């Protein structure tokens, strides 16, 4: 690369620097203000640094960088995460910091340091890109940015990514206009470190590549005969585009050690090889406004001010600095287009593209500077004093900065008021209540690791699911629960978001695990005042609750009064341990709803809402009581209020209304509401499933099949949709098509005996007895104590004319379920076909004992006698 000094050519110099003669351009004032902004940024980032508990991801950092790890383990363990491998640079720097102390504040200190450096980097980027005034104001806005403060106080890699991305853009832009060795070396170093920090760094490298190509094409199309030096060799050496390509090649070579891990992540279930259900419409105006809210200073007046300044900045850049406008537009939009349009198995969070923040604030600062440039001459003309502009301009900007500072206060306070996931409280509670002979079960191994981080040692911690990553525990995993819990008198289940409704009385898991009582969860509170959209953009589980479910054998709590007494005692014990840090009223409300008085439950739910007006499960408990009492209008009124407060999304609101109408039996109204929910969030299979069911209930089978098919397209592992399609095919007499659906279910969940039974019965109806026997035998093998599967196997044997084996299985069925009349009826038929009349008579008599009016049994008895 040819060494060149000096400033960029005049054509490339940002026109916004025309006011350089003002006092603000004096070097001592610039440095003084920059230091002041750094001090302000440091104060905001150190405030309450250790005032919040470590949440799930931060605990991951603490585990990866524990002092008992070697340097090699610090590098390897994040790379071996099965979700998406995490590059090691941030963990190495944190591990280095932790050599001084293990305190949680020190764990977050590297992010504070990187966040402060990002403020300085924003100034130097703004100076070279737009001018010193824009750089200073951009640095100021970053110093007070709630979004910047948030991730400068989090023990994760986002502040480092913010710093390195800003430096990468600074050196890249400098290299495009100076093409000097220092710029390109800085670009290679900062960009390589960035891709070793976070995989999303490739997004801003893509922006820089597009800009470099456009910049090269623009210059050479404008003047095709332009040469940089004499001869072909000098032209290659003097062309910044070729220097950029050489830099990319060098970075690719430096990235080779990381490449296998990156590819495995991209091709895995959480990368491009997986599917995810959209939690919210990312093209909606509310979602896009939520992005501006977080990058700016929140909703309301702050949103309007930032949006207006952003619009002004884009307008001024369009008039004065079109190259910078193109770069800014690419930098702020292309990453979102990629993550919104490319399907991936991992939900998007705004922090992944935190590098957009400095450019966003620099464009806002360009709007403020431009506004000052417009106002100052106007006032000067009115006062007829030319020197007035030099005084008015800094006063105008100072007022603007004060206004934006005041606007940021609410966003900062909202962040400081947040309560992050209270893993420390849950661990301390378990330490106080769990006896050494009891068991704690977590759904995944990673949860157990977080408990152990807080020195939890009262009992051996086991995890239920085989996947060491956050996931909903499925039915096949719950079959292991009795095996784990049977040796213990009491079991505790810890999960941030338990599937409690399926465990509560009447839930499908509660019916399967009927020998156990799952008390309502002891909930340790984490919360935010953010809207649904903002919470989704940040991370729903960052400030989510952590729940502990006590589980006991049913014979230990024989009465409802004893259940309420024990559950209330545990909830109050947790509240005494952490006053105001639990949701004890909600827990007690759940106890009364399931085991006692609904009026008592309502009182406790209302108290829970007073304690946290945004706590949705308490509202849900109230709604369920209203629905159970037939007070549908009250439930609708409650949902209306939740939508108005922004606690639920509009799509979910229509889903809830549709569920109410379906409960009342008004399927046409239910279809209307479910259709609205699907229209707003078409990728949400939970909305499409009840819509398909409503179509089915009204006989609109083609439309029902269309919904189930779309569910399978969105989620090829959705076994319920296959089951629905199979039942419709079978009702229409298409047995081969039904069997194909059930075969997919068995393939997806081979350990589920019910799916094998459905497939066996379909094969039987087709006359494929060998296939039916194989599937029915597998169902019996998987659930030997389930009478229905033995009866099904006996039925298949009977139709295959293997009566002795049929009778053997049917006898086992009635032994396991001695009060099922239909099983005795089937057994009597087998006895009759085998000419065992006395046994057939006994079976039919038993049928009549259980079902005195059974006409089939009466008729066969008359024939046999």
């Amino acid at each position: 690369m040819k060494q060149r000094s000096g400033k960029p050519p005049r054509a490339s110099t940002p026109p916004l620097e025309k006011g350089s003669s003002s006092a603000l351009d004096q070097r001592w004032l610039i440095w003084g203000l920059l230091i002041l902004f750094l001090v302000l940024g440091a104060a905001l980032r150190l405030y309450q640094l250790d005032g919040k508990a470590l949440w799930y991801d931060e605990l991951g950092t603490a585990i990866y960088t524990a002092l008992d790890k070697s340097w090699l383990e610090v590098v390897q363990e994040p790379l071996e995460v099965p979700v998406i491998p995490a590059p090691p640079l941030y963990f190495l720097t944190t591990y280095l910091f932790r050599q001084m102390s293990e305190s949680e504040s020190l764990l977050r200190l590297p992010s504070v340091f990187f966040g402060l450096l990002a403020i300085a980097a924003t100034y130097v980027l703004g100076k070279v890109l737009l001018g010193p005034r824009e750089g200073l104001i951009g640095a100021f806005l970053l110093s007070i940015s709630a979004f910047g403060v948030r991730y400068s106080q989090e023990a994760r890699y986002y502040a480092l990514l913010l710093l390195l991305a800003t430096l990468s853009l600074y050196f890249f832009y400098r290299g495009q206009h100076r093409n000097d060795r220092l710029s390109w070396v800085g670009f290679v170093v900062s960009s390589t470190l960035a891709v070793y920090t976070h995989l999303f760094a490739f997004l801003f490298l893509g922006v820089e590549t597009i800009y470099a190509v456009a910049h090269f094409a623009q210059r050479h199309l404008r003047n095709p005969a332009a040469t940089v030096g004499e001869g072909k060799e000098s032209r290659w050496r003097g062309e910044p585009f070729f220097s950029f390509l050489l830099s990319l090649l060098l970075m690719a070579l430096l990235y080779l050690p990381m490449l296998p891990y990156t590819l495995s992540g991209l091709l895995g279930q959480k990368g491009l090889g997986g599917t995810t259900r959209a939690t919210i419409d990312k093209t909606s105006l509310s979602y896009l406004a939520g992005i501006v809210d977080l990058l700016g200073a929140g909703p309301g007046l702050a949103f309007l001010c930032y949006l207006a300044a952003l619009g002004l900045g884009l307008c001024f850049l369009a008039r004065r600095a079109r190259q910078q406008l193109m770069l800014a537009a690419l930098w702020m939009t292309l990453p979102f287009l990629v993550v919104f349009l490319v399907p991936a198995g991992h939900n998007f969070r705004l922090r992944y593209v935190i590098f957009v923040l400095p450019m966003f604030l620099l464009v806002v600062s360009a709007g403020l500077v431009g506004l000052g440039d417009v106002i100052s001459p106007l006032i000067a003309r009115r006062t007829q004093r030319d020197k007035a502009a030099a005084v008015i301009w800094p006063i105008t900007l100072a007022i603007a900065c004060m206004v934006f500072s005041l606007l940021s206060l609410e966003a900062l306070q909202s962040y400081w008021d947040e309560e992050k996931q209270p893993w420390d409280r849950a661990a301390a509670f378990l330490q106080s209540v769990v006896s050494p002979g009891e068991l704690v079960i977590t759904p995944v191994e990673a949860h157990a690791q977080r408990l152990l981080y807080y020195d939890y040692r009262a009992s051996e911690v086991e995890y239920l699911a085989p996947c060491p990553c956050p996931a909903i525990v499925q039915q096949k995993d719950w079959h292991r629960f009795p095996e784990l819990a049977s040796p213990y008198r009491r079991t505790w289940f810890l999960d941030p978001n338990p599937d409690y409704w399926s465990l509560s009385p009447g839930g499908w898991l509660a019916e399967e695990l009927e020998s156990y009582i799952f008390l309502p969860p002891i909930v340790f509170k984490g919360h935010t005042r953010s809207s649904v959209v903002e919470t989704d953009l940040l991370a729903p589980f960052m400030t989510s609750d952590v729940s502990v479910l006590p589980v006991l054998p049913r014979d230990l709590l024989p009465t409802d009064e004893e259940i309420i007494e024990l559950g209330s005692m545990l909830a109050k014990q947790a509240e005494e341990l952490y006053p105001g840090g639990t949701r004890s009223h909600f827990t007690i409300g759940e106890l009364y709803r399931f085991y006692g008085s609904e009026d008592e439950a309502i009182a406790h739910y209302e108290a829970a809402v007073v304690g946290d007006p945004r706590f949705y499960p308490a509202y849900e408990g109230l709604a369920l009581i209203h629905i159970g009492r037939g007070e549908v209008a009250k439930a609708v009124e409650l949902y209306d209020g939740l939508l108005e407060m922004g606690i639920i999304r509009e799509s979910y609101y229509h889903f809830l209304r549709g569920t109410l109408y379906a409960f009342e039996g008004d399927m046409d109204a239910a279809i209307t509401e479910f259709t609205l929910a699907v229209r707003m969030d078409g990728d949400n299979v939970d909305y499409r499933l009840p819509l398909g069911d409503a179509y089915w209930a009204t006989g609109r089978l083609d439309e029902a099949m269309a919904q189930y098919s779309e569910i399978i397209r969105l989620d090829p592992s959705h076994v319920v949709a296959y089951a629905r399609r199979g039942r419709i095919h079978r009702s229409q007499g298409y047995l081969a098509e039904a069997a194909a659906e059930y075969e997919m279910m068995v393939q997806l969940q081979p350990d589920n005996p019910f799916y094998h039974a459905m497939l066996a019965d379909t094969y039987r109806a087709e006359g494929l007895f060998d296939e039916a026997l194989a599937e029915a035998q597998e169902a019996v093998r998987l659930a030997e104590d389930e009478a229905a599967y033995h009866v099904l196997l006996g039925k298949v044997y009977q139709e295959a004319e293997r009566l002795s084996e049929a009778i053997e299985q049917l006898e086992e069925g009635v032994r396991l379920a001695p009060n099922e009349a239909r099983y005795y009826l089937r057994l009597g038929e087998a006895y009759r076909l085998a000419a065992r009349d006395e046994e057939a008579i006994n079976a039919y008599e038993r049928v009549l004992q259980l079902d005195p009016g059974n006409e089939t049994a009466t008729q066969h008895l008359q024939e046999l006698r």
Side-chain angles (χ1 to χ4, degrees):
M1 302 177 191
K2 185 176 179 180
Q3 180 73 30
R4 295 169 63 186
S5 59
K7 295 183 178 180
R10 186 62 184 170
S12 300
T13 302
L16 303 187
E17 295 186 26
K18 290 182 179 178
S20 58
S21 60
S22 68
L24 190 59
D25 288 323
Q26 297 179 24
R27 183 169 298 181
W28 66 268
L29 183 57
I30 290 175
W31 282 105
L33 288 173
L34 185 58
I35 292 172
L36 179 64
F37 298 158
L38 288 171
V39 171
L40 174 62
L44 294 176
R45 283 155 179 77
L46 291 171
Y47 177 65
Q48 290 191 2
L49 183 61
D50 55 355
K52 299 177 185 290
L54 297 176
W55 74 286
Y56 192 91
D57 284 3
E58 290 182 297
L59 283 168
T61 299
I63 292 167
Y64 294 145
T65 61
L67 290 178
D68 59 353
K69 302 284 178 66
S70 67
W71 288 94
L72 182 60
E73 288 174 320
V74 173
V75 172
Q76 285 182 333
E77 288 186 7
L79 290 174
E80 293 170 355
V81 173
V83 182
I84 291 183
L89 180 62
Y90 167 77
F91 300 106
L92 287 171
T93 57
T94 303
Y95 182 68
L96 181 62
F97 268 79
R98 295 194 75 184
Q99 302 304 307
M100 293 181 281
S101 171
E102 279 195 286
S103 72
E104 291 183 3
S105 59
L106 197 66
L107 185 71
R108 291 167 169 158
L109 200 58
S111 293
V112 174
F113 178 68
F114 297 136
L116 288 176
L117 291 181
I119 296 173
T122 299
Y123 165 71
V124 297
L125 172 63
K127 180 181 178 182
V128 72
L129 192 65
L130 303 174
R133 297 180 297 173
E134 289 81 358
L136 266 179
I137 296 174
F140 168 73
L141 293 177
L142 181 57
S143 70
I144 62 171
S145 165
F147 196 68
V149 170
R150 172 186 293 276
Y151 292 106
S152 295
Q153 288 194 329
E154 185 168 299
R156 297 297 281 176
Y157 24 58
Y158 303 108
L160 179 57
L161 177 64
L162 174 68
L163 168 64
L164 293 173
T166 307
L167 291 175
S168 171
L169 183 58
Y170 164 72
F171 286 118
F172 166 78
Y173 188 80
R174 228 179 78 139
Q176 285 293 314
H177 294 281
R178 296 188 180 184
N179 198 32
D180 61 309
R181 185 175 291 108
L182 176 62
S183 296
W184 292 117
V185 169
F187 172 69
V188 170
V189 171
S190 58
S191 301
T192 303
L193 292 177
V195 293
Y196 270 93
T197 299
H198 199 280
L199 297 183
F200 271 56
F202 285 104
L203 291 178
F204 68 73
L205 287 177
V207 172
E208 291 167 338
T209 301
I210 292 173
Y211 179 83
V213 171
H215 189 247
F216 172 77
Q218 182 187 41
R219 288 186 298 108
H220 286 268
L221 287 175
R222 183 179 297 174
N223 184 11
T227 57
V228 179
E230 295 295 330
K232 183 177 180 180
E233 181 181 353
S234 62
R235 179 175 178 178
W236 273 73
R237 293 181 59 194
E239 173 56 58
F241 182 69
F242 297 127
S243 300
F244 173 72
L245 293 180
L246 182 62
S247 299
L248 289 184
L249 178 61
L250 181 57
M251 289 162 54
L253 293 174
L254 292 172
Y255 194 73
L256 284 177
M258 184 70 192
L259 189 59
Y261 301 99
T262 302
L263 292 177
S264 69
L266 289 175
L267 300 177
Q269 287 301 307
K270 287 295 184 177
L272 302 180
T275 58
T276 187
R277 292 177 292 175
T279 57
I280 199 165
D281 181 7
K282 294 179 173 60
T283 61
S284 67
L285 290 177
S286 61
Y287 191 83
L288 299 177
I291 293 174
V292 178
D293 284 352
L294 290 172
L295 295 179
L301 180 61
F303 168 78
L304 294 176
C305 289
Y306 268 90
L307 189 62
L310 180 71
L312 286 174
L314 293 173
C315 290
F316 290 133
L317 291 179
R319 292 176 54 192
R320 306 177 184 178
R322 293 184 180 178
Q323 283 190 7
Q324 291 88 332
L325 173 64
M326 181 180 70
L327 180 57
L330 284 172
W331 194 269
M332 291 190 297
T333 59
L334 187 65
F336 292 106
L337 290 176
V338 172
V339 297
F340 289 173
L341 296 178
V342 175
H346 199 291
N347 282 319
F348 169 72
R349 306 298 175 211
L350 188 59
R351 61 179 182 271
Y352 301 160
V353 292
I354 193 172
F355 50 81
V356 169
L357 180 61
M359 182 64 78
F360 172 85
L361 296 177
L362 286 172
V363 175
V364 169
S365 70
L368 296 178
V369 170
L371 185 63
D373 285 341
V374 170
I375 292 174
S376 297
L378 292 176
I379 295 178
R381 280 198 293 270
R382 282 180 172 271
T383 59
Q384 297 182 349
R385 295 180 181 179
D386 293 338
K387 293 183 179 181
V391 178
I392 293 167
W393 185 90
I395 292 176
T396 303
L397 280 188
I399 293 173
C401 289
M402 289 177 60
V403 169
F404 276 72
S405 298
L406 293 174
L407 292 174
S408 296
L409 289 178
E410 184 175 355
L412 287 167
Q413 191 61 54
S414 178
Y415 161 64
W416 285 323
D417 286 344
E418 282 182 4
E419 295 184 33
K420 293 191 176 182
Q421 276 186 317
W423 285 87
D424 54 344
R425 299 177 189 175
F429 173 71
L430 287 170
Q431 191 75 48
S432 67
V433 298
V434 178
S435 302
E438 296 174 353
L439 173 70
V440 175
I441 294 178
T442 67
V444 291
E445 186 179 23
H447 294 1
Q449 292 174 345
R450 281 149 179 79
L451 276 182
L452 295 173
Y453 174 79
Y454 285 109
D455 294 326
Y456 177 78
R457 292 291 185 273
S459 172
E460 182 180 359
V461 178
E462 298 191 36
Y463 66 101
L464 192 60
C467 170
C469 57
I472 296 175
V473 182
Q474 299 180 2
Q475 182 179 5
K476 60 184 178 64
D477 300 309
W478 276 99
H479 286 311
R480 296 181 53 217
F481 178 78
E483 172 192 345
L484 293 173
S486 59
Y488 302 93
R489 181 175 175 83
R490 187 161 59 177
T491 305
W492 304 81
F493 184 73
L494 179 136
D495 192 7
N497 299 289
D499 185 14
Y500 174 64
W501 302 113
S502 61
L503 294 167
S504 61
W508 59 271
L509 275 175
E511 293 178 358
E512 287 200 12
L513 305 170
E514 58 185 1
S515 59
Y516 292 93
I517 294 176
F518 292 82
L519 297 182
I522 312 299
V523 184
F524 295 89
K525 184 166 57 177
H527 74 89
T528 176
R529 292 191 297 170
S530 300
S531 68
V532 171
V533 170
E534 290 178 344
T535 302
D536 183 86
L537 280 163
L538 292 171
F541 52 89
M542 179 186 293
T543 54
S544 66
D545 300 330
V546 176
S547 300
V548 176
L549 281 73
V551 188
L552 295 96
R554 185 170 291 277
D555 56 7
L556 293 181
L557 293 176
T559 67
D560 290 349
E561 291 77 11
E562 290 175 322
I563 294 173
I564 293 174
E565 182 180 359
L566 176 62
S568 300
M569 182 193 72
L570 292 171
K572 292 173 182 176
Q573 186 174 351
E575 180 65 25
E576 289 172 1
L577 186 63
Y578 290 105
T582 71
R583 303 192 188 275
S584 57
H585 280 294
F586 168 73
T587 301
I588 299 172
E590 293 283 270
L591 282 165
Y592 277 111
R593 182 162 70 90
F594 294 131
Y595 304 105
S597 165
E598 289 184 346
D599 291 333
E600 291 280 355
I602 289 174
H604 282 286
Y605 286 141
E606 290 176 344
V609 168
V610 170
D612 184 357
R614 300 189 64 82
F615 183 55
Y616 174 73
Y619 293 106
E620 189 171 32
L622 287 169
L624 290 172
I625 291 177
H626 291 320
I627 294 169
R629 291 177 169 181
E631 301 168 345
V632 176
K634 287 187 177 180
V636 170
E637 183 181 351
L638 189 147
Y639 293 149
D640 289 343
L642 293 176
L643 179 64
E644 185 178 344
M645 290 187 289
I647 295 175
I648 59 175
R649 299 184 293 271
E650 189 173 357
S651 59
Y652 189 60
Y653 166 77
H654 288 292
F655 166 75
L656 291 172
R657 285 179 63 98
T659 304
L660 284 176
Y661 285 126
F663 177 79
E664 289 188 303
D666 188 350
M667 289 300 170
D668 291 333
I671 288 172
T672 300
E673 294 295 334
F674 289 140
T675 301
L676 287 171
V678 168
R679 190 174 298 160
M680 294 176 182
D681 190 356
D683 291 341
N684 193 320
V685 299
D686 291 334
Y687 297 166
R688 288 188 178 275
L689 187 64
L691 177 57
D693 293 346
Y695 280 134
W696 189 357
T698 54
R700 299 160 65 175
L701 298 184
D702 289 341
E703 291 164 290
M705 286 291 285
Q707 292 302 321
Y708 300 143
S709 298
E710 183 63 15
I711 290 171
I712 290 171
R713 186 191 69 80
L714 293 167
D715 182 4
S717 64
H718 201 287
V719 292
V720 176
Y722 288 110
R724 298 286 203 277
R725 293 206 314 186
R727 289 179 61 189
I728 292 178
H729 282 314
R730 184 153 183 185
S731 69
Q732 295 175 325
Y734 303 137
L735 297 178
E737 289 80 358
E741 303 291 349
Y742 298 147
E743 285 168 359
M744 279 300 304
M745 295 165 59
V746 167
Q747 181 180 333
L748 290 167
Q749 293 192 12
D751 295 333
N752 191 310
F754 181 63
Y755 298 159
H756 286 281
M758 294 172 72
L759 181 56
D761 194 53
T762 306
Y763 283 146
R764 179 199 59 78
E766 286 188 276
L768 303 174
F769 294 117
D770 290 340
E771 292 85 348
L773 284 171
E775 294 299 330
Q777 287 166 350
E778 182 64 12
V780 168
R781 187 189 68 81
L782 292 169
E784 294 180 355
D785 295 334
E786 184 60 52
Y789 301 142
H790 287 281
V791 172
L792 173 63
L793 180 55
K795 185 178 179 180
V796 177
Y797 276 131
Q798 180 178 326
E799 295 190 19
E801 299 181 351
R802 297 165 61 174
L803 289 177
S804 62
E805 293 160 297
I807 290 172
E808 180 184 349
Q809 291 299 322
L810 292 169
E811 287 176 339
E812 180 65 12
V814 298
R815 185 188 69 81
L816 292 169
N819 296 318
E820 284 286 347
R822 56 199 173 104
Y823 293 168
Y824 282 99
L825 191 64
R826 173 64 64 179
L827 178 59
E829 176 69 11
Y831 283 142
R832 192 169 64 87
L833 292 173
R836 296 164 62 173
D837 293 348
E838 287 299 324
E839 292 165 297
I841 290 172
N842 292 334
Y844 289 135
E845 287 176 345
R846 178 60 176 162
V847 172
L848 292 175
Q849 289 176 3
L850 297 169
D851 182 11
N854 192 290
E855 295 180 0
T856 303
T858 302
Q859 179 183 347
H860 286 316
L861 274 175
Q862 291 173 351
E863 293 172 356
L864 289 169
R865 289 171 176 169

